[in-house]
Amino acid sequence: MKKFSILVLMSFCLGTLACGTKKVKENKMQESEEVQIENYIKKNAIKVDFKSNSGLRFILNQEAKDGMSLKQGQSVKVKYSGSLLNDKQFDAGSFNFILGVGQVITGFDEGIAKLKVGEKGTLIFPSSIGYGAAGAGSDIPPNSPLIFEIEVLAAR
């Protein structure tokens, strides 16, 4: 019985250590993405208008003073292009979605909510609010920070 208890205790300790190691790796990866994003911003002399706690960087490129503010639950039509930090474009187009209900990746939802109809902005964010460790197909590798150029065309 004593041997069994020791084995259970050792398994628990090794499991805890492995989890702790996983957290350290995740933190280092996030730090690395932060460094990558900051280097990209510096290299391209980008003036960030807002940085959220999630790591989203928001840049307003074209203001629409009379544009309607967006609200959660609205149907929003956007034109967009998405790229990696190496400027390789992985997607572009336009589509409609319901804002703030999880139909799109978190960084997209969070960033677009800061725009008004008629405005254009750039969103730069870490993989934790993008496609994460899974990536997306062959175009977006795991743990990739993303850049989206966005124009809000309409909302209702």
Side-chain angles (χ1 to χ4, degrees):
M1 186 67 156
K2 210 174 200 182
K3 286 182 185 178
F4 178 73
S5 298
I6 291 172
L7 286 174
V8 170
L9 181 60
M10 284 177 56
S11 295
F12 175 76
C13 290
L14 288 174
T16 303
L17 181 61
C19 290
T21 303
K22 184 178 178 185
K23 284 284 186 206
V24 169
K25 284 181 184 176
E26 286 174 5
N27 288 341
K28 283 185 180 182
M29 201 171 305
Q30 287 173 342
E31 283 177 26
S32 176
E33 285 185 36
E34 280 296 307
V35 169
Q36 290 174 45
I37 291 169
E38 287 302 319
N39 287 342
Y40 179 86
I41 289 168
K42 185 176 180 179
K43 175 183 163 199
N44 292 286
I46 297 170
K47 182 189 170 288
V48 174
D49 294 309
F50 176 79
K51 179 183 175 189
S52 73
N53 290 335
S54 69
L56 169 78
R57 275 69 162 194
F58 174 82
I59 300 99
L60 183 61
N61 300 323
Q62 180 181 312
E63 189 174 8
K65 292 187 190 250
D66 297 331
M68 178 178 72
S69 295
L70 304 179
K71 296 177 186 78
Q72 184 172 335
Q74 280 184 308
S75 176
V76 178
K77 182 173 185 173
V78 298
K79 181 178 175 182
Y80 72 96
S81 66
S83 60
L84 303 173
L85 292 183
N86 64 7
D87 293 324
K88 179 183 176 205
Q89 187 177 41
F90 57 80
D91 197 11
S94 62
F95 74 103
N96 294 311
F97 70 101
I98 306 297
L99 184 65
V101 298
Q103 289 184 339
V104 293
I105 56 176
T106 304
F108 207 75
D109 246 349
E110 182 183 342
I112 289 173
K114 299 189 177 319
L115 293 165
K116 295 177 182 177
V117 174
E119 290 188 326
K120 294 180 181 180
T122 301
L123 313 176
I124 305 172
F125 52 85
S127 66
S128 59
I129 57 174
Y131 293 101
S138 61
D139 293 332
I140 304 173
N143 305 306
S144 293
L146 302 175
I147 304 165
F148 283 96
E149 300 293 332
I150 305 291
E151 179 180 3
V152 179
L153 302 174
R156 54 184 173 88

